[in-house]
Amino acid sequence: MMSNCKAFIKKACRDVGKDPARLIDLLHAVQNAFRCVNEEAIDQIACELQIPRVQVDGAVTFYSFFSKEPKGRIIIRLCNDIIDKLHGVEEVGQALTEELGIEFGQTTEDGAFSLEWTPCIGMSDQAPSALVNEAVVTRLTPESARQMIRTLRGHMDPHQLATQLGDGNNASPLVHSMVRNNIREPGPIVFGPVNRGEAIRKSLGMTPAEVIRVLKTARLRGRGGAGFPCGMKWEFTRASEGDRKFIICNADEGEPGTFKDRVLLTEFADRIFAGMTIGGYAIGAQEGLLYLRAEYAYLKPHLEDVLAKRRADGWLGQNIHGKQGFHFDIRIQLGAGAYVCGEETSLITSAEGLRGDPKNRPPYPAQKGYLGYPTVVNNCETLCCVTRIMEEGAATFSEHGTEHSYGTKLLSISGDCSRPGVYEVDFGVTLREVLQMAGSNDPKAVQIGGPSGQMVGEDQFDRKICFDDLATGGSVMVFGGTRNILEIVHAFMEFFVDESCGYCTPCRVGNVLLKEGIERLLDGRGEPNDLEQFRKIGGMMKSCSRCGLGQTSWRPVITSLDHFPSVYESLVREDPDGFRRSFDLKEAVALSEDITGRKSIHA
Amino acid sequence: MSQTYTIHIDGVAIQALPGQKLIEAADAAGIYIPRLCHKRGLEPFGACRLCTVLVNGRPGTACTTPVADGMVVENDIESLREFRKQIIEMLFVEGNHFCMFCEMSGNCELQAMAYRFGITAPRYPYIWPHREIDASHPDILIDRNRCILCGRCVRASRDIDGKHVYDFVGRGAHKQIAVNAAARLADTNADVTDEALNVCPVGALLKKRTAFQVPIGRRLYDLKPIGSEIESDGSTRID
């Protein structure tokens, strides 16, 4: 390795205090500087941090944003989410391959460009979209994609691609992005006006136990999808013994079709950080982490700036707002491209500088979380609700929603509708009302809660969005009358195969078997027995998988099978001769035909 | 006198000690809960999911669940037997397992587990992955075709041998066992006397020149099913 590489890595390791828990930051630094983390870099990092090199190797190969092979100076990651596919991303991809003269997964010979597919980057409301290094490019067409490459060849600076800036903070110098917020229905709780500092002031006037009681009175439940009562989570963590405690904001929204946290991070970061600070006070934590998905790295300078201002104003740091003995600060931890890290224990493992595998539970994070200390993990939206509740009291919050789902919910609506974007609605709204708001004329199917949620048809549209009916972390993908249900399901299963961490058998293998089963149906080789197998595999994955990913990733198949049975039944049939239709004799003998140079008389 | 808990597994009352994992308490009582990634003496891992039981009605792995007084556990019931069969079949189709040529045949826990559950052939199509072999070390062979990603060697090498020779790289279906060197096992400090070599449940980590020292027919699971060693040796049942 060149000696400047060695010096760089040595300094980068020193910059993070040679702390193995900061490995992800370190790998980002090396990847950005040298466009790869090669074997020599792995050796040196392991040596500097005094950890086994295979542990570094394990992390490098776990995350999509790291590579051992050198990448181009500009990496174009085109989002191949189903919503982007509906909006013509295949044609955009074709244009990019032609313009660059490389296929996806390749790098141009001059080392200038790499072209990759990537799962949802949180821009489904402005698809097709791509990440160009950290910069986001939205609403791509084949022509604008070609133009983008020509422009980049000129200045090689992705930051300059945004000529028309988005609204709000997207246009600020620190974000400088063409991303649009698309806030379509600003509700009163999350999007309503706040009096900056008021929520913290009021909280610090109470005891920590009183703060928790307010949240329990408001019956605030987690907004990430699982719906665990926030006050109870804080109470458990408060009660746990620990020399240190942590509050982590989960800003790793990776569920395809969700992008509401992007808007919160862009426009309402202050509320998120206020919620974290209140949480720190309530549970007795002095340290907070915001785990930011790597796809949102373009927001990091802005978020750092918000934190700096809060420090300057005395809302972070020592003796916050004059409260003697209450010290609290927040660090931003960048992810590196792994959907599973949205699962709270995987997120913690990843923030510790390891492969993002989920942890065994018990112990729960409230007992033993980040670095082994009691930890709370809350969603961005939940923390915004905390700030609102502490400012205005529990009563205002619980005026909204239903009996078991108080408050409002942010929905990210995308797909076949005229007004894609973020909607703040009262819990209890029906799906039909939501679809009307979003301007969806001809919905055939709606995927609610993302791929790990459920696919429902017209007969389910009067169901309510709330925790005990149609529960959702926020993703609502609308599919119009002409869309092919099975192709949508297949896209979701491809996603889960790519994003399973591989730790446990049911998820590692089950997703592959379901995906291949859907492929057999699409190829016209499906058998009635396949449908029964899907249900058996799904049932086992639900009960036996280690974390929420595998416990729910079978749902695209099974919920679409439940609600659109005729789609599946039309694609399966028994072989008249009793043979397995899935067995392709021609394919099976192809290799031996090739080797022997003879043709089978049967195939 | 130390405190003991009483727990029920499939209606049988057994004693358990605070701090024990459910699988340990069951073992001590002579109740076998099938497992592949778990091994006595190694840190609980929770990867194969074969030991999934119902604890007070909710699924959980016996190898990672701490015992609690009054716990009601369902283990040998039809729904869980079916799940376990599926998991075993999945492990067979995701790798390249050729029992008839494998020197571990008869000593292999995966094969023995399939026999215990009466599996003659998996229902699922084979995935036929391409997996690498590492024969670089003079005394040790890694055959990833037969690896079931149980992590036993990872834990034994790290926690017992104090070496950390093995760990996982890659993600999802591409996850595989790797060694603590850029490419080859020969470049690590692995040794044939390492405990890591004694814990592999299948034929993925092998000592060279030891195959067939015990003839087929006289191997561990040739005469008695896997688990019978635990079922014949329980002492903490409450009558």
Side-chain angles (χ1 to χ4, degrees):
Chain A
M1 200 190 320
M2 312 236 303
S3 61
N4 65 336
C5 300
K6 288 207 159 172
F8 179 92
I9 292 173
K10 201 176 179 70
K11 181 177 180 306
C13 291
R14 244 195 342 258
D15 287 347
V16 296
K18 299 199 175 189
D19 180 0
R22 301 290 298 278
L23 181 63
I24 306 300
D25 296 325
L26 197 51
L27 295 178
H28 271 300
V30 175
Q31 176 78 40
N32 289 340
F34 306 109
R35 296 176 280 142
C36 66
V37 185
N38 63 17
E39 302 293 356
E40 286 162 298
I42 290 172
D43 272 329
Q44 197 193 342
I45 292 167
C47 183
E48 296 280 348
L49 300 186
Q50 300 195 327
I51 54 177
R53 64 111 52 213
V54 68
Q55 187 181 326
V56 182
D57 196 352
V60 171
T61 53
F62 188 88
Y63 297 98
S64 317
F65 277 58
F66 303 139
S67 61
K68 288 189 179 181
E69 298 302 317
K71 296 283 179 187
R73 288 191 291 286
I74 291 176
I75 303 177
I76 298 167
R77 295 186 169 93
L78 185 59
C79 177
N80 65 352
D81 201 25
I82 186 68
I83 302 297
D84 295 71
K85 284 181 179 159
L86 305 186
H87 290 99
V89 77
E90 306 283 359
E91 291 74 29
V92 173
Q94 184 62 33
L96 286 172
T97 57
E98 286 167 15
E99 191 65 32
L100 290 167
I102 53 171
E103 296 300 317
F104 278 83
Q106 294 181 340
T107 300
T108 54
E109 261 179 35
D110 60 357
F113 293 96
S114 290
L115 188 55
E116 294 178 1
W117 291 115
T118 194
C120 189
I121 60 171
M123 302 288 160
S124 301
D125 54 336
Q126 37 214 307
S129 55
L131 288 172
V132 182
N133 289 352
E134 290 181 359
V136 183
V137 183
T138 62
R139 294 185 181 282
L140 281 159
T141 62
E143 191 38 51
S144 73
R146 287 178 196 277
Q147 187 55 48
M148 174 178 85
I149 300 302
R150 289 178 208 137
T151 311
L152 281 171
R153 284 209 174 102
H155 54 56
M156 289 301 280
D157 179 10
H159 207 61
Q160 290 183 38
L161 287 173
T163 45
Q164 270 200 316
L165 298 176
D167 51 337
N169 284 336
N170 290 300
S172 77
L174 287 171
V175 181
H176 189 80
S177 170
M178 67 194 290
V179 173
R180 297 196 59 81
N181 287 326
N182 289 330
I183 301 173
R184 305 284 186 180
E185 285 283 335
I189 301 291
V190 179
F191 286 143
V194 291
N195 195 351
R196 185 168 178 260
E198 187 64 15
I200 293 186
R201 229 186 324 266
K202 285 190 174 160
S203 301
L204 295 181
M206 303 178 187
T207 66
E210 282 167 346
V211 171
I212 290 172
R213 196 173 313 134
V214 173
L215 295 182
K216 288 175 110 175
T217 308
R219 291 200 230 161
L220 173 62
R221 296 172 66 172
R223 263 45 180 169
F228 193 82
C230 178
M232 206 189 281
K233 194 185 256 189
W234 285 17
E235 193 167 53
F236 289 153
T237 315
R238 174 165 182 75
S240 291
E241 296 281 338
D243 298 336
R244 294 164 78 187
K245 288 184 186 177
F246 291 89
I247 181 160
I248 300 182
C249 172
N250 183 345
D252 192 41
E253 63 172 350
E255 191 72 41
T258 182
F259 43 82
K260 47 131 185 136
D261 291 347
R262 176 197 85 213
V263 176
L264 294 180
L265 294 160
T266 307
E267 299 299 333
F268 303 105
D270 247 329
R271 297 180 194 186
I272 297 171
F273 293 139
M276 291 177 74
T277 310
I278 294 165
Y281 177 66
I283 66 167
Q286 300 198 345
E287 294 158 275
L289 285 181
L290 179 111
Y291 186 96
L292 183 69
R293 66 185 307 220
E295 290 80 353
Y296 292 168
Y298 76 102
L299 292 171
K300 192 163 180 266
H302 163 65
L303 294 168
E304 296 283 12
D305 183 57
V306 175
L307 286 176
K309 285 189 179 127
R310 293 187 72 81
R311 283 185 201 109
D313 296 346
W315 297 114
L316 287 174
Q318 302 286 306
N319 304 314
I320 288 172
H321 196 59
K323 183 86 178 177
Q324 285 304 310
F326 177 46
H327 317 308
F328 185 76
D329 212 331
I330 296 169
R331 178 171 72 80
I332 296 172
Q333 174 65 59
L334 206 56
Y339 163 77
V340 70
C341 293
E343 195 279 336
E344 67 172 4
T345 64
S346 305
L347 183 152
I348 291 170
T349 319
S350 173
E352 291 169 337
L354 301 165
R355 297 163 59 79
D357 291 330
K359 293 179 192 291
N360 287 316
R361 282 154 294 192
Y364 291 89
Q367 307 157 286
K368 205 165 176 273
Y370 181 62
L371 303 175
Y373 297 107
T375 302
V376 157
V377 182
N378 284 138
N379 181 265
C380 296
E381 186 184 342
T382 312
L383 290 163
C384 288
C385 291
V386 166
T387 305
R388 168 69 57 194
I389 291 165
M390 293 317 296
E391 179 172 337
E392 293 189 346
T396 317
F397 184 77
S398 45
E399 277 168 15
H400 301 272
T402 66
E403 195 190 343
H404 297 291
S405 311
Y406 280 180
T408 60
K409 184 76 196 82
L410 296 191
L411 301 178
S412 314
I413 306 181
S414 64
D416 293 321
C417 59
S418 60
R419 302 177 73 225
V422 179
Y423 293 71
E424 181 177 2
V425 296
D426 280 13
F427 271 119
V429 68
T430 65
L431 183 52
R432 196 178 299 281
E433 291 169 289
V434 168
L435 291 168
Q436 273 162 9
M437 274 191 269
S440 170
N441 300 321
D442 174 33
K444 170 177 172 181
V446 177
Q447 184 75 24
I448 184 150
S452 66
Q454 44 186 320
M455 183 182 276
V456 296
E458 215 275 329
D459 58 333
Q460 311 279 313
F461 288 174
D462 290 315
R463 289 176 65 183
K464 290 177 172 161
I465 290 178
C466 58
F467 288 110
D468 33 16
D469 193 356
L470 281 178
T472 173
S475 168
V476 179
M477 291 185 263
V478 186
F479 301 106
T482 59
R483 304 300 183 184
N484 182 332
I485 297 283
L486 228 54
E487 281 177 9
I488 297 166
V489 172
H490 182 250
F492 290 157
M493 293 320 298
E494 273 190 322
F495 169 75
F496 286 127
V497 167
D498 287 344
E499 295 298 331
S500 166
C501 78
Y503 193 106
C504 76
T505 317
C507 177
R508 186 181 66 239
V509 190
N511 284 314
V512 174
L513 294 177
L514 286 175
K515 186 196 85 145
E516 292 189 346
I518 296 292
E519 284 167 0
R520 282 198 300 279
L521 263 57
L522 285 168
D523 288 352
R525 291 184 286 124
E527 299 166 41
N529 180 47
D530 284 326
L531 306 187
E532 194 187 319
Q533 287 300 341
F534 291 165
R535 289 194 186 280
K536 283 199 165 171
I537 293 171
M540 191 279 280
M541 291 173 73
K542 180 185 179 182
S543 289
C544 298
S545 292
R546 189 159 174 266
C547 83
L549 199 164
Q551 286 161 9
T552 57
S553 62
W554 48 273
R555 296 181 72 188
V557 178
I558 306 305
T559 61
S560 61
L561 181 55
D562 282 341
H563 296 132
F564 301 90
S566 60
V567 171
Y568 283 84
E569 282 152 12
S570 68
L571 290 171
V572 297
R573 61 186 170 88
E574 298 277 5
D575 187 278
D577 302 320
F579 292 122
R580 294 288 298 273
R581 298 186 63 228
S582 57
F583 181 72
D584 185 341
L585 182 59
K586 210 178 177 66
E587 190 190 321
V589 300
L591 182 63
S592 41
E593 280 184 339
D594 201 33
I595 292 168
T596 57
R598 291 184 304 178
K599 288 283 171 200
S600 163
I601 57 166
H602 299 293
Chain B
M1 211 182 96
S2 70
Q3 185 197 6
T4 60
Y5 294 155
T6 301
I7 62 178
H8 288 83
I9 302 180
D10 292 334
V12 178
I14 68 165
Q15 278 180 8
L17 300 172
Q20 256 181 338
K21 297 289 190 268
L22 183 51
I23 206 165
E24 297 169 315
D27 281 0
I31 296 173
Y32 180 64
I33 301 174
R35 82 289 305 263
L36 282 170
C37 72
H38 180 75
K39 187 170 176 65
R40 210 173 293 177
L42 298 180
E43 190 191 327
F45 200 57
C48 75
R49 316 306 285 178
L50 212 55
C51 72
T52 301
V53 292
L54 297 181
V55 180
N56 302 326
R58 294 171 65 99
T61 42
C63 69
T64 61
T65 303
V67 291
D69 198 25
M71 210 174 228
V72 176
V73 179
E74 291 162 82
N75 169 41
D76 195 15
I77 59 174
E78 182 49 36
S79 61
L80 293 176
R81 278 196 295 269
E82 170 58 26
F83 290 160
R84 288 167 184 163
K85 275 188 191 175
Q86 289 187 56
I87 291 172
I88 297 162
E89 292 173 39
M90 285 187 179
L91 288 169
F92 270 103
V93 301
E94 78 156 339
N96 301 311
H97 297 275
F98 298 95
C99 296
M100 62 293 263
F101 320 125
C102 178
E103 65 186 77
M104 280 293 281
S105 183
N107 287 326
C108 169
E109 294 181 37
L110 179 65
Q111 180 196 45
M113 204 62 78
Y115 281 132
R116 184 176 171 114
F117 280 88
I119 297 166
T120 48
R123 291 165 266 195
Y124 307 123
Y126 285 95
I127 293 171
W128 304 125
H130 178 80
R131 301 256 185 99
E132 298 289 338
I133 291 173
D134 182 345
S136 63
H137 195 281
D139 303 318
I140 307 166
L141 173 76
I142 302 176
D143 183 355
R144 295 185 181 87
N145 289 294
R146 300 179 243 184
C147 178
I148 58 169
L149 305 169
C150 69
R152 283 191 191 176
C153 58
V154 176
R155 288 170 281 160
S157 178
R158 182 189 64 202
D159 302 334
I160 299 175
D161 300 326
K163 288 184 173 181
H164 211 131
V165 171
Y166 312 95
D167 212 331
F168 293 112
V169 297
R171 185 169 85 190
H174 303 291
K175 179 174 176 166
Q176 58 167 346
I177 203 78
V179 299
N180 195 29
R184 307 183 320 151
L185 183 64
D187 300 329
T188 70
N189 59 347
D191 190 88
V192 73
T193 59
D194 290 345
E195 182 59 19
L197 296 182
N198 300 326
V199 296
C200 182
V202 289
L205 200 52
L206 295 163
K207 293 179 190 176
K208 290 181 177 176
R209 298 176 300 278
T210 63
F212 301 101
Q213 283 176 351
V214 179
I216 286 172
R218 275 192 257 151
R219 296 182 175 188
L220 211 47
Y221 307 117
D222 281 343
L223 302 173
K224 283 192 292 183
I226 190 167
S228 55
E229 68 285 2
I230 286 168
E231 288 163 323
S232 63
D233 189 27
S235 59
T236 53
R237 291 194 190 207
I238 303 169
D239 295 320

